[in-house]
Amino acid sequence: MKNAKILFSLVFTLMAATVFGQSGTQRQPATLRPAPQQQARPQTQQPPAQQKQQQQQGQGERVPVDLQQADSLIGGTFNGQRIDKLIGNVIFKQKDGTLYADSVYQYKEQNVLEAFGNVRINQADTVNITGNQATYNGDTRSARITGNVVMRDPRMTLTTPSLDYNLNTRTATYTEGGTIVDPENRLVSKRGSYNTKTKMFDFQQDVNVTTADYNIVAQNMRYNTLTKVVYFQGPTFIQGQQGDLYAEEGTYNTITKISRFGRNAYILTKEYRLSGDKLYYDQNRGYGLAEVNVALKSLKDDVTIRGQVGRYWRDRGEAKVHGRPVMETIMDADTLYLSADTLYSQEAKGARTASMIFAYPNVKIFKSDLQGKADSLSYNRTDSIMHMNVKPVLWNDKSQLVSDTIHIQLRNKTIDRMYMYSNAFIASEDSLKNYNQVKGRDMTAFFTEGDIVRVNVNGNGESLYFALEGDTTLTGMNKAICSDMVLKFGQNKLKTISFLVQPDASFIPPHELGEDARQLEGFAWLADLRPTKEQVVAKPKSPVKKETAPAKKAPANSKKPAPKKKN
C-alpha cells in the first residue's frame, strides 16, 4: 500500500508537468507544496563590459530566483513572454533574501517577479519590508514595493507609500514621503534613503525630527539609527523648551543632547542669542561654546557683545566672551562701543540681585561724543549705572575727566549724571592750547542730551581758568582755591566757575605766567590715550589661544617623584 502511494504521486507530478508545458489555462493541483527545486537556467554569454558592470555592482554571475512554495501554478506564454502565475502562499528565495506574497507573476526570461497581496521581503532575518505589491529583479537583486509600505529592522520602523530596496547594497530609497520611528525619535521627510549596513538615513526635502526635547526642521539631514546622531547639511532649526538652535551644518546627538554646529550657527534663549562660525552646546549641562565671529546679544536691553570665543551657562545665567570682545548698545540715538580683553555677563538671580556686565582689563569706550578708558568696568543693567575702576579717563568733546573711580548714571539710555570719586580732575583745552583745570576730592557732573552742563566740586577744590579775548588773545589766568565750586558749561566749553564759600583767588597777567603756574598738581593731558572707533572695534591680530583642559590628578596610590635634594 505504501509503495502504491509513492508511485501514484510520481505519476501525478509527471502529468502535471506535461499539462503546464502545453497550456496557459490549466491549474496545478494544490498538492504542489512545496514545489520541486527548479533547475538552474543555462547562462547566456554576456558582453565583457556588462559582466564588469554587474561585478562592480556586487551582482556577480546571474542567480535565478528559486520558488520555494505555492498553492497552485498556471504556466504559459502570454504576449510572447513565458510567465508562471503562482497563487496562494507563494515563497521565493534568492541568496539571503526571501519574498512572500499571495500571488506572483514570474517572468523567467527577465528573471523578474511581480508580487501581489500581503507582500513581504525579508533579508537575513533582520530587514522586513511589507506592502501591497512589489516588483523584484533577480539580476540586480532590487525590489520596488508599493502600497502601505512598512520597513522594519531592529533599530527602526519606516512607513511610506512606495519604496525601492537593493538587496546587494542593502539600501532603501523612498521619494513619496516617509516616516521613521525609533524608541527615541520620529523623523519625517519627502525623500530619503536608508542603508541597513551602516544604519544611516539620508533625508531630503521638508525634514522634521521630533524628540522628547526638540523639534528639528531641515531640508537635508542624515541620521544614524545606531548612534542616534543627526547630521545637518543646509539650514536647520532645532526648537526646544529651553531654547532654540540654528545651523547650516553640524551634528546633534539625540542621546547625549550635545550639538556641534557650523556656518551661521546660533543658540536662542529668552535672555540671549549666542552665535558663531562654530558652536557647541550641551543641553544637559546648559553649556554653550561659540568660536570665531562670536556674537552674544542680550534680548532684554539690546546689548550685543562680539568676539572670537564665547561661553554660555544657561542655568547660571552667565556668559563670557573673550578674544578682544566689543560690546555695542544704542545710547542717545548713537552707538556706544566698549572693548576689553574679556566681557562677562550675568543675569539677575532674584529680585534683590542685579543684571551685570563686567569688562576687564584694557577697557576702551567710544561714542561719537564720549570716549574713555579704564582697567576694568562693570555695568549694572538693572539700575543703569556704569562703574569705571582703576585709572579711568573720559573725554567729552574738549574736556578730559579723571578720578580714581567714575560712576555713570544712565536714564533712558542717555548719560544723566557722572560721579567722580577721589582725586577728581577735569581739564579742557582752549583755542590757544591752554588747559583750564579744576580738581577736588569728589565731583558730580550733570548732562543734558549727552553734553556736560554743570559740575559740582565737593571738597579741596582748586581751579585754573585762562581768560581770553576773542578766543585769540590771552589776557591772564584766574587761580582759585575753594572747598566747593560749581562749574557751568555751554557748547561743551567751560563758561563760568562759581565759588560756594569765600575763595582764595588771584588773577595772574600773561607776563607773570611761568610753566609751573599753568598746571595744578596732578595734571596730565592724556590725549594720546584717547581711543578712536577703529581702535575699539578692531579684531585681534593673532588668533585666540584655545583653553587647554586641566591636567588629570594622579591616582591616590600612585607614586610621586622623589623631591630633588637641595645643594
Side-chain angles (χ1 to χ4, degrees):
M1 183 66 179
K2 186 176 182 180
N3 292 334
K5 288 184 177 180
I6 296 174
L7 179 61
F8 178 79
S9 177
L10 292 173
V11 172
F12 184 84
T13 303
L14 291 173
M15 290 176 64
T18 303
V19 172
F20 300 153
Q22 293 175 352
S23 173
T25 60
Q26 298 297 319
R27 182 176 296 276
Q28 183 170 344
T31 52
L32 183 62
R33 183 197 289 269
Q37 183 71 25
Q38 296 182 2
Q39 296 181 355
R41 180 183 289 102
Q43 299 293 324
T44 57
Q45 186 67 28
Q46 296 178 337
Q50 185 175 352
Q51 291 180 356
K52 183 177 180 181
Q53 182 179 4
Q54 288 189 352
Q55 291 174 357
Q56 290 176 346
Q57 296 175 350
Q59 298 173 17
E61 297 182 357
R62 194 181 200 209
V63 178
V65 185
D66 293 332
L67 173 64
Q68 301 292 300
Q69 175 179 302
D71 288 347
S72 61
L73 181 150
I74 301 174
T77 302
F78 301 88
N79 297 326
Q81 295 188 71
R82 172 65 186 181
I83 304 175
D84 286 345
K85 299 180 180 180
L86 300 110
I87 301 173
N89 301 307
V90 183
I91 302 176
F92 277 89
K93 186 174 179 61
Q94 186 186 44
K95 293 186 178 180
D96 61 347
T98 306
L99 182 144
Y100 305 82
D102 292 344
S103 62
V104 174
Y105 284 14
Q106 182 180 22
Y107 302 84
K108 290 188 175 180
E109 295 301 323
Q110 290 86 0
N111 202 18
V112 172
L113 304 177
E114 286 186 348
F116 307 92
N118 296 312
V119 176
R120 181 164 65 94
I121 295 176
N122 175 275
Q123 185 174 23
D125 294 328
T126 57
V127 176
N128 278 284
I129 306 172
T130 60
N132 296 338
Q133 298 181 16
T135 301
Y136 180 77
N137 188 313
D139 290 346
T140 61
R141 297 191 73 214
S142 60
R144 178 166 180 79
I145 308 97
T146 59
N148 300 315
V149 179
V150 178
M151 177 180 179
R152 293 183 176 89
D153 76 357
R155 300 288 175 183
M156 65 87 217
T157 299
L158 164 65
T159 58
T160 179
S162 63
L163 185 74
D164 293 303
Y165 184 68
N166 188 304
L167 280 78
N168 285 324
T169 61
R170 301 189 67 169
T171 301
T173 304
Y174 62 89
T175 58
E176 296 182 277
T179 300
I180 297 92
V181 177
D182 65 17
E184 290 82 19
N185 311 295
R186 183 178 184 271
L187 303 94
V188 179
S189 71
K190 186 67 175 178
R191 298 182 290 113
S193 63
Y194 178 54
N195 189 313
T196 63
K197 291 181 180 179
T198 62
K199 307 300 180 185
M200 183 69 75
F201 262 108
D202 283 278
F203 302 100
Q204 299 90 36
Q205 195 174 345
D206 301 330
V207 184
N208 188 285
V209 181
T210 303
T211 74
D213 303 294
Y214 279 116
N215 183 54
I216 305 173
V217 178
Q219 287 299 311
N220 296 286
M221 193 174 70
R222 302 174 70 202
Y223 174 65
N224 191 307
T225 61
L226 184 64
T227 62
K228 310 298 182 184
V229 175
V230 180
Y231 301 82
F232 307 111
Q233 287 293 333
T236 303
F237 294 90
I238 302 180
Q239 299 172 327
Q241 297 176 354
Q242 298 182 356
D244 300 336
L245 300 97
Y246 171 85
E248 296 177 6
E249 68 176 13
T251 64
Y252 170 63
N253 190 314
T254 62
I255 301 298
T256 64
K257 306 296 188 299
I258 292 177
S259 307
R260 300 178 187 274
F261 295 148
R263 283 178 33 201
N264 302 319
Y266 66 77
I267 302 170
L268 182 64
T269 69
K270 294 180 180 179
E271 293 81 18
Y272 289 106
R273 184 184 186 275
L274 175 63
S275 62
D277 291 354
K278 295 180 181 180
L279 186 62
Y280 168 93
Y281 186 64
D282 186 335
Q283 178 191 338
N284 291 327
R285 296 168 53 202
Y287 170 72
L289 169 64
E291 296 181 286
V292 187
N293 297 319
V294 173
L296 176 67
K297 183 174 183 178
S298 174
L299 303 180
K300 291 182 177 180
D301 47 16
D302 197 24
V303 173
T304 300
I305 300 175
R306 306 183 188 278
Q308 296 304 304
V309 178
R311 286 175 169 78
Y312 171 63
W313 295 267
R314 182 193 63 218
D315 296 338
R316 289 156 46 183
E318 299 176 9
K320 181 197 256 185
V321 181
H322 55 96
R324 192 60 184 174
V326 178
M327 184 186 83
E328 301 176 15
T329 188
I330 303 299
M331 292 178 59
D332 305 333
D334 192 7
T335 303
L336 171 71
Y337 300 93
L338 185 152
S339 69
D341 292 354
T342 298
L343 290 176
Y344 173 78
S345 175
Q346 185 177 49
E347 290 297 320
K349 296 181 180 180
R352 297 183 179 181
T353 61
S355 178
M356 300 292 297
I357 290 179
F358 300 93
Y360 55 90
N362 302 320
V363 176
K364 291 184 176 64
I365 296 173
F366 180 87
K367 190 172 171 287
S368 61
D369 57 357
L370 184 71
Q371 299 81 45
K373 68 176 295 294
D375 182 72
S376 62
L377 177 146
S378 62
Y379 175 38
N380 185 323
R381 290 184 288 170
T382 303
D383 295 334
S384 298
I385 298 178
M386 187 179 295
H387 305 263
M388 301 178 66
N389 306 301
V390 187
K391 298 181 179 180
V393 186
L394 284 174
W395 291 269
N396 177 251
D397 195 21
K398 295 183 178 181
S399 298
Q400 173 183 288
L401 298 85
V402 179
S403 67
D404 291 353
T405 303
I406 297 177
H407 294 180
I408 302 174
Q409 175 73 56
L410 304 177
R411 177 177 294 178
N412 298 324
K413 292 189 175 183
T414 301
I415 297 178
D416 182 59
R417 295 186 184 185
M418 182 184 300
Y419 301 92
M420 304 168 62
Y421 298 113
S422 299
N423 300 313
F425 207 121
I426 295 179
S428 61
E429 186 179 39
D430 65 18
S431 58
L432 298 181
K433 302 299 182 181
N434 299 305
Y435 298 103
N436 298 313
Q437 304 159 50
V438 179
K439 63 181 293 188
R441 184 179 64 245
D442 302 321
M443 294 186 189
T444 302
F446 299 84
F447 290 75
T448 298
E449 296 182 355
D451 295 331
I452 296 178
V453 294
R454 191 181 78 193
V455 174
N456 293 345
V457 180
N458 302 311
N460 304 327
E462 297 183 47
S463 68
L464 292 181
Y465 180 75
F466 292 87
L468 302 182
E469 183 178 341
D471 292 336
T472 58
T473 304
L474 176 65
T475 60
M477 183 188 76
N478 290 291
K479 181 177 181 179
I481 299 175
C482 184
S483 178
D484 299 327
M485 306 179 189
V486 175
L487 289 70
K488 292 186 178 181
F489 292 78
Q491 298 179 349
N492 288 317
K493 293 181 180 179
L494 179 62
K495 295 297 184 180
T496 63
I497 301 178
S498 300
F499 306 101
L500 301 185
V501 294
Q502 189 66 31
D504 179 6
S506 60
F507 181 81
I508 305 174
H511 63 275
E512 296 182 7
L513 286 175
E515 287 299 323
D516 294 341
R518 289 173 176 264
Q519 297 180 1
L520 294 176
E521 183 179 356
F523 169 78
W525 189 245
L526 306 173
D528 293 342
L529 302 179
R530 190 172 189 171
T532 63
K533 180 180 177 181
E534 291 71 19
Q535 291 173 338
V536 174
V537 302
K539 293 183 179 180
K541 296 181 180 180
S542 59
V544 179
K545 295 182 180 180
K546 294 185 177 181
E547 294 186 4
T548 57
K552 295 182 178 179
K553 294 182 179 180
N557 58 355
S558 62
K559 295 183 178 180
K560 297 182 179 179
K564 294 181 180 181
K565 295 182 179 180
K566 296 183 179 180
N567 294 332

